[in-house]
Amino acid sequence: MKDVIIQAEKFAAVDSTILITGETGTGKELFAQSIHNAGKRSSGPFRAVNCASIPEALLESELFGYESGAFTGARKNGKKGYFELASKGTLFLDEIGEIPCSLQSALLRVLQEHSIIRVGGRQDYPCKCQNYLRHPPGSKESL
């Protein structure tokens, strides 16, 4: 356990995407929250999203937000997604293996370019959050 704490302190000092693996019930979200609290972005928000709990049809708009009129029932002024809501803080994406292949390229773009395009939009929005990704052990082949 002491080695894990030392690793967490090292992770807190960097501003990079972190992949956290581990068995169910081992405290990965608490680990991510601890890294956030000890890091440079601790004054910003910590958002945790379980990707498996969001229906596939809604996942894109929940993660990236949407513009006004993007689809039937969309809010008049659009909506910020989790990436924008976590700006200047940390976004913990749990169960990233459940993200469909069609969204993985958009996720990769966020991780590389630090910007998003909302559903139905054309404008780039800066995404200045640190990302912690959680994926079950033994299933890395799906990443």
Side-chain angles (χ1 to χ4, degrees):
M1 181 58 120
K2 190 173 183 179
D3 291 338
V4 173
I5 294 170
I6 291 169
Q7 271 188 320
E9 290 170 347
K10 289 179 183 177
F11 290 143
V14 300
D15 195 21
S16 184
T17 299
I18 299 170
L19 176 66
I20 300 172
T21 61
E23 300 296 329
T24 300
T26 56
K28 293 165 293 297
E29 185 173 337
L30 290 174
F31 186 70
Q33 178 82 57
S34 297
I35 295 170
H36 167 80
N37 292 341
K40 301 173 190 175
R41 297 178 181 268
S42 61
S43 62
F46 178 86
R47 302 273 179 172
V49 180
N50 184 331
C51 297
S53 69
I54 301 172
E56 189 174 321
L58 297 176
L59 191 57
E60 183 177 17
S61 64
E62 289 295 312
L63 291 176
F64 305 114
Y66 59 83
E67 295 291 353
S68 175
F71 49 83
T72 304
R75 292 182 184 170
K76 183 179 179 183
N77 297 324
K79 179 185 169 191
K80 289 182 179 182
Y82 285 113
F83 281 102
E84 284 183 89
L85 294 171
S87 186
K88 297 181 183 175
T90 301
L91 180 62
F92 176 66
L93 295 176
D94 198 359
E95 299 289 347
I96 60 166
E98 299 301 316
I99 294 177
C101 293
S102 60
L103 285 182
Q104 288 183 15
S105 60
L107 179 60
L108 182 60
R109 182 177 188 280
V110 174
L111 298 177
Q112 291 179 333
E113 306 298 326
H114 303 287
S115 68
I116 57 133
I117 298 175
R118 292 180 182 170
V119 174
R122 295 180 184 191
Q123 179 182 345
D124 278 326
Y125 290 90
C127 174
K128 300 191 182 222
C129 64
Q130 187 170 20
N131 300 290
Y132 300 158
L133 310 174
R134 188 263 173 188
H135 195 56
S139 54
K140 292 179 185 167
E141 63 278 352
S142 65
L143 288 178

